[in-house]
Amino acid sequence: MKKIGFILLCVLTVFACKEEKEKVEEIKKEPIAYASFGEKISDENVVSKELAAKEFDNLKEGDTINLKFTSTINEVCTKKGCWMKLDLGNNNESMVRFKDYGFFMPLDADNKEVIVNGRAFVSKTPVEELKHYAKDSGKSEEEIAAITEPEFTFAFEADGVLLKE
């Protein structure tokens, strides 16, 4: 009698595990919902933010590459949504603007996942411009005087964005 009970328990366990596996596979097949901005893009052939960061590291001023990567939004322009900063890991981020100023992101998109498609490049901000920005943001004369080196920025011009809903 104990053997029959044990066999029955094993059979039920196998069926329960199979049913759970089918549920997990079904969930994996469900498409991820995205809000689309700009040109239509897909979520295929996307690289991680870590691989995107390596691509940026290999760029010199004047270089441009086509890139599609996924990341998390650190910050969105709070006035119009006309730019965003994406996390690249290791305290690096990419400044993203939108092709031809053709579309904007929702103002509350901070900390959401996105896929961006477009052109990656490195831009150099001259010392004079950095000092101007510092003055505009209310920095002290000492802080402004401390700016002596140009700043290199990981820049990106997106032609399409998918925002994970």
Side-chain angles (χ1 to χ4, degrees):
M1 188 69 174
K2 287 183 181 182
K3 284 185 179 181
I4 293 174
F6 179 73
I7 292 172
L8 184 59
L9 180 63
C10 289
V11 169
L12 288 173
T13 302
V14 168
F15 282 116
C17 289
K18 182 179 177 189
E19 186 177 310
E20 188 64 32
K21 182 180 177 187
E22 289 171 355
K23 284 180 184 178
V24 168
E25 288 175 2
E26 187 177 307
I27 290 170
K28 286 181 183 177
K29 291 179 186 177
E30 290 182 27
I32 298 172
Y34 293 103
S36 181
F37 301 88
E39 293 180 14
K40 279 202 172 281
I41 64 170
S42 72
D43 61 354
E44 296 174 355
N45 302 317
V46 177
V47 299
S48 68
K49 68 181 180 183
E50 292 82 11
L51 288 175
K54 287 181 183 177
E55 293 289 343
F56 276 109
D57 282 338
N58 292 327
L59 294 174
K60 295 178 183 84
E61 188 177 9
D63 292 346
T64 301
I65 60 167
N66 292 325
L67 187 63
K68 185 193 289 187
F69 71 98
T70 183
S71 185
T72 303
I73 300 173
N74 284 344
E75 184 180 358
V76 174
C77 169
T78 57
K79 293 187 180 192
K80 292 177 88 173
C82 58
W83 55 261
M84 63 183 171
K85 293 181 180 178
L86 298 183
D87 179 40
L88 293 175
N90 295 323
N91 293 320
N92 289 319
E93 56 187 13
S94 176
M95 178 64 155
V96 179
R97 291 186 174 84
F98 309 111
K99 186 177 180 182
D100 299 327
Y101 209 59
F103 60 96
F104 305 105
M105 296 301 294
L107 303 181
D108 63 350
D110 289 359
N111 301 312
K112 293 190 178 176
E113 292 179 46
V114 290
I115 296 173
V116 293
N117 184 75
R119 298 181 319 117
F121 56 99
V122 176
S123 67
K124 179 179 167 182
T125 308
V127 171
E128 301 80 37
E129 196 171 329
L130 291 171
K131 288 184 176 194
H132 175 78
Y133 293 150
K135 185 177 180 181
D136 285 352
S137 66
K139 301 283 184 188
S140 70
E141 290 299 321
E142 289 175 351
E143 290 172 304
I144 294 170
I147 300 171
T148 59
E149 297 288 325
E151 186 176 286
F152 289 89
T153 303
F154 293 149
F156 195 86
E157 180 184 63
D159 53 34
V161 177
L162 294 176
L163 176 66
K164 191 173 181 181
E165 294 184 327

